[in-house]
Amino acid sequence: MSLVVYLAAFVFGMTPVLLFRRPRRALRNPLTVSTCAAIVLGALVFVCAAPATLATVNELTGVPNFGAPLTYSVLCAYSCAVLVLLINWRGGSRELVRRRVLRTVTAYGLLMTAIVVLFLLAEADTERLRDLDTYYANTPFMREMILLYLLGHSAAMLVMCAVCVKWGREVGGPLRTGLRLILVGALLDLVGFQVAKYTAIVARWNGHDLDFLSTTLAPPMASLAALLCSAGYLLPSVAAQRRAWTDHRRLAPLWSLVRSVSTAPKPPTAWWELPRARLQWREVSIHDALLALAPYFDHTVRERARDAALRAGRSPHGARLTAEAAMVADAARRAAAGEEPPESAGTYRLHATEVLGTGGLVELAQALHRSSAPDATPDGAVPSPLPGTLTEPEEPHVA
């Protein structure tokens, strides 16, 4: 059984690696820190609850069942970390988040202190590695300690369920899917783990033996619930990294055109650098290049390309993208050739610089990709599309 628990702890605990590859940068993000803390503490619960770990802790301390309050305290810390994660995930003003986190940490800190005090007051000299909850269900102070840790964990799971249900109605996409996974995990924890424990303990109070619910059913249900919650925590971040990788790849046509103009310093990166970091650098570099090309923007090229696109039946938004792509390509050609800025040059703000995020740049890059010739001709003709590509512009991209 210990081997299975350790394996679950390893799988559970390795998931933060995707979020914590750059420790200095990650420590500045409360959401990343709270996510990793919740997952690591969840893995630590499994490690502490393994019979082999309990026996080792009892032997090292010389106190029978000392592993019990240790495990229960770690479980309370995990419950606290889950609530802190939800608080940071939900967001709000910095002062409001800080106040809620402080209240949560204080409440569970007091709970952990009470668990240790109750254990010290109890008489639990018989070592129990698998059935301590039911064996000591009628023992003074041990009974209260067991109920206290269960109630503390139940409160955290109930709050998690309520938040996931309420917040799930307000969001969509990967975040909603992540919340649903967390909700399923929390419900499985409530029903499969906690209800099983409560039932077995109440049965002991009434002279019945349903210990198998606590010793056989509850542990695997808790493991499965924790893994589902872990997947729910990580899914939005993994989805964001996937979107960043896609946007980074779709920006390639625009980056190939303007990279020689950009003066943004390239930070040292490794092959394992996360996509969001790579995308952020490419976005900054492209904006820097577009700023350098602004004096070469020929409005005659843009206007002619726009009029030709409108006559071809494209939407106003699609025609604007096509025209701006032609103007940027013409500006890049002029800058590379060392020509003087055109007489019709003037101030103009690209659509890509008017919208937040990477969506506008991606649209501009795809407009360039759809052109058979990256360099627009000076007369403003609209380049014909590449074979096999769509002739209509894509819908506006939202990063």
Side-chain angles (χ1 to χ4, degrees):
M1 179 178 176
S2 295
L3 180 60
V4 175
V5 174
Y6 290 144
L7 181 61
F10 175 78
V11 174
F12 193 33
M14 283 299 294
T15 48
V17 173
L18 289 173
L19 300 176
F20 220 66
R21 284 186 169 184
R22 305 285 302 266
R24 292 184 179 179
R25 183 180 298 176
L27 287 173
R28 302 171 188 168
N29 188 338
L31 181 57
T32 301
V33 172
S34 55
T35 301
C36 293
I39 296 175
V40 170
L41 285 171
L44 191 58
V45 171
F46 291 130
V47 173
C48 294
T53 304
L54 293 173
T56 301
V57 170
N58 295 340
E59 182 179 356
L60 290 176
T61 59
V63 179
N65 300 310
F66 185 83
L70 174 64
T71 302
Y72 299 158
S73 296
V74 175
L75 181 60
C76 289
Y78 167 68
S79 301
C80 177
V82 166
L83 294 179
V84 171
L85 169 60
L86 291 175
I87 292 171
N88 284 313
W89 209 357
R90 180 71 180 186
S93 66
R94 181 176 299 181
E95 181 62 27
L96 178 62
V97 171
R98 189 185 67 83
R99 186 165 60 249
R100 288 176 176 174
V101 169
L102 182 60
R103 289 175 180 174
T104 303
V105 172
T106 301
Y108 277 89
L110 294 174
L111 181 62
M112 294 165 64
T113 302
I115 287 174
V116 174
V117 171
L118 289 170
F119 176 78
L120 294 175
L121 295 175
E123 295 182 4
D125 298 331
T126 303
E127 185 181 58
R128 310 299 298 187
L129 301 179
R130 290 179 173 83
D131 62 346
L132 183 140
D133 289 348
T134 51
Y135 185 86
Y136 288 106
N138 291 306
T139 302
F141 299 113
M142 286 294 287
R143 174 182 59 229
E144 286 76 13
M145 181 192 73
I146 294 167
L147 285 177
L148 201 57
Y149 97 81
L150 283 174
L151 290 172
H153 188 54
S154 298
M157 293 300 104
L158 288 171
V159 170
M160 180 187 292
C161 289
V163 171
C164 289
V165 170
K166 181 179 179 181
W167 195 13
R169 298 169 181 169
E170 304 172 5
V171 298
L175 181 54
R176 173 180 287 182
T177 304
L179 288 172
R180 287 176 177 174
L181 282 174
I182 296 173
L183 177 61
V184 172
L187 290 174
L188 188 60
D189 188 296
L190 282 168
V191 177
F193 175 75
Q194 295 173 49
V195 171
K197 288 280 187 180
Y198 286 127
T199 303
I201 291 172
V202 172
R204 277 281 187 166
W205 291 348
N206 292 278
H208 302 292
D209 186 354
L210 295 178
D211 290 7
F212 75 93
L213 293 175
S214 177
T215 59
T216 305
L217 178 63
M221 292 297 101
S223 300
L224 180 58
L227 291 175
L228 286 172
C229 288
S230 176
Y233 301 149
L234 291 176
L235 181 62
S237 178
V238 172
Q241 296 294 347
R242 182 177 178 275
R243 287 196 304 269
W245 180 83
T246 301
D247 286 348
H248 184 273
R249 179 173 53 84
R250 297 179 72 190
L251 284 174
L254 179 58
W255 175 236
S256 298
L257 180 68
V258 303
R259 64 185 306 170
S260 61
V261 184
S262 176
T263 59
K266 183 177 181 179
T269 57
W271 63 269
W272 44 262
E273 186 73 44
L274 291 178
R276 292 184 71 177
R278 291 177 177 271
L279 175 64
Q280 184 179 18
W281 175 81
R282 177 164 287 188
E283 182 182 358
V284 170
S285 299
I286 290 176
H287 276 295
D288 178 77
L290 292 177
L291 184 63
L293 289 176
Y296 294 92
F297 286 169
D298 190 336
H299 297 300
T300 301
V301 171
R302 176 177 57 81
E303 291 170 0
R304 290 179 178 176
R306 182 197 59 200
D307 294 341
L310 289 173
R311 287 194 301 271
R314 298 187 180 179
S315 66
H317 181 72
R320 178 181 180 181
L321 290 176
T322 301
E324 291 181 351
M327 183 176 65
V328 170
D330 177 72
R333 180 189 60 79
R334 291 177 183 273
E339 298 181 8
E340 293 294 327
E343 296 181 0
S344 61
T347 58
Y348 179 79
R349 188 174 183 183
L350 296 170
H351 170 72
T353 63
E354 291 180 340
V355 297
L356 296 176
T358 318
L361 292 178
V362 170
E363 287 183 304
L364 181 60
Q366 293 305 293
L368 284 166
H369 177 67
R370 285 190 294 271
S371 301
S372 58
D375 293 334
T377 56
D379 61 358
V382 181
S384 58
L386 288 167
T389 58
L390 297 176
T391 57
E392 287 297 322
E394 296 183 0
E395 292 297 322
H397 176 82
V398 180

